[in-house]
Amino acid sequence: MAKKLGIAFGSGASKGIAHIGVMKAFEENGIKADMVTGCSSGSIAAACYALGKTHDWIYARIKRLKKEDLLDISINFIKNKALMKSQKMQRMLEKYFGKVDITDLKIPFSCIACDLITGKLHEFTHGDLATAVRASCSIPLVFSPVEVDGKLLCDGGVLQRTPVKTLKKLGAEVTVAIDVNCDAYIDAPVKNLFDIAFKTIDIMDHSVNRSSPGTRADVVIEPDLKNVNQYKLDDKEFIFEQGYKAGVKAVEKIKFLCE
């Protein structure tokens, strides 16, 4: 491909499994990104891509994933600033990523987080990969925010669902955004603190993020996941297949734009 291709993997919790399906479609059709960015669960997919992991490698581990692998309830959630301590998440990311600096990845990578102190977007372009991804995935009130260089960082989806702007900064000439959370699952009941936190993010995401200027990519891939609750792990195979179908549909347009 003549033009530099960049892929932005968007936020969406368990809907992020669709990213792996899109990756399968791209692998089968010879589409390779020159740089990647990610937000929240999309930062995990982007990191794996930048590490050179195949969709098979990622999906094999996702299929074994359970909630207990990520959730470690905090006894003192006020001091912890969240209901979960995030230590399990950090260990899991370190297990699969190793101790890797972002600058040492196979291709340019960045993930985004929100600085709770300034309210501004933080773009990770260096530093420990696992820590950066954990910060990008730290849903406010649910997972404890991450302190980095005097900043208090949480889920980047608070400000931007698919980091297309960041992708352009890395030098992408053709941009692809995989927006797995374009259709919010808004009918879920509100029963506890978790539900309130999740629903608040969903409402904010769909009332603010979609209209952000400069966030539209040349190709936007939107898997049909409107009936999927992003905070459950019950529909892994369905989510994966929907991602694959959406990825296949986008192949020819991406090839044409990259010529």
Side-chain angles (χ1 to χ4, degrees):
M1 294 183 182
K3 295 180 181 177
K4 290 184 178 180
L5 173 65
I7 301 175
F9 295 84
S11 62
S14 66
K15 289 184 179 181
I17 296 170
H19 291 308
I20 311 170
V22 176
M23 287 170 64
K24 177 184 177 183
F26 287 180
E27 287 174 23
E28 290 179 346
N29 290 278
I31 293 177
K32 296 181 180 179
D34 297 290
M35 63 275 299
V36 291
T37 60
C39 176
S40 197
S41 62
S43 70
I44 300 175
C48 288
Y49 196 104
L51 282 164
K53 305 298 185 183
T54 65
H55 83 273
D56 281 328
W57 185 93
I58 306 167
Y59 193 42
R61 285 149 183 80
I62 289 294
K63 285 193 289 187
R64 297 196 298 264
L65 185 66
K66 299 176 182 178
K67 284 185 178 180
E68 306 89 78
D69 298 330
L70 294 173
L71 304 183
D72 47 355
I73 296 175
S74 173
I75 297 174
N76 190 346
F77 61 86
I78 294 177
K79 183 179 179 180
N80 188 58
K81 303 182 184 70
L83 297 169
M84 299 292 163
K85 292 181 288 186
S86 304
Q87 293 175 352
K88 281 188 176 181
M89 186 194 299
Q90 182 75 25
R91 286 196 296 269
M92 183 193 73
L93 293 172
E94 289 177 352
K95 175 183 177 181
Y96 293 130
F97 296 165
K99 296 296 285 186
V100 178
D101 191 280
I102 290 171
T103 56
D104 293 328
L105 291 168
K106 292 181 181 296
I107 63 172
F109 161 93
S110 179
C111 65
I112 61 171
C114 171
D115 183 357
L116 289 169
I117 297 174
T118 64
K120 294 181 180 179
L121 191 75
H122 178 80
E123 298 171 316
F124 282 97
T125 55
H126 64 276
D128 181 62
L129 178 63
T131 299
V133 170
R134 178 164 73 91
S136 187
C137 291
S138 293
I139 302 169
L141 301 180
V142 179
F143 293 107
S144 57
V146 179
E147 295 184 36
V148 177
D149 298 332
K151 296 180 166 110
L152 193 62
L153 303 172
C154 73
D155 194 318
V158 170
L159 294 174
Q160 193 178 125
R161 190 162 64 236
T162 52
V164 177
K165 283 184 179 180
T166 305
L167 199 58
K168 293 176 180 178
K169 288 182 183 179
L170 291 179
E173 297 173 289
V174 176
T175 55
V176 175
I178 308 173
D179 188 356
V180 299
N181 204 26
C182 53
D183 295 309
Y185 181 79
I186 59 174
D187 295 327
V190 178
K191 298 179 180 179
N192 51 50
L193 284 175
F194 288 100
D195 293 337
I196 292 173
F198 294 150
K199 198 131 190 177
T200 299
I201 292 292
D202 283 343
I203 292 170
M204 178 174 55
D205 180 42
H206 288 270
S207 63
V208 178
N209 286 349
R210 299 205 76 174
S211 59
S212 299
T215 59
R216 199 71 177 170
D218 298 312
V219 179
V220 180
I221 298 173
E222 298 178 331
D224 184 3
L225 301 170
K226 57 180 174 292
N227 294 319
V228 174
N229 186 336
Q230 65 173 320
Y231 305 113
K232 292 185 178 181
L233 287 169
D234 303 331
D235 303 309
K236 295 176 186 176
E237 187 173 340
F238 174 78
I239 296 171
F240 175 85
E241 288 300 328
Q242 291 301 102
Y244 177 72
K245 290 177 183 177
V248 169
K249 290 180 181 178
V251 164
E252 290 307 316
K253 183 174 181 180
I254 295 171
K255 286 185 175 181
F256 173 77
L257 292 173
C258 287
E259 289 178 353

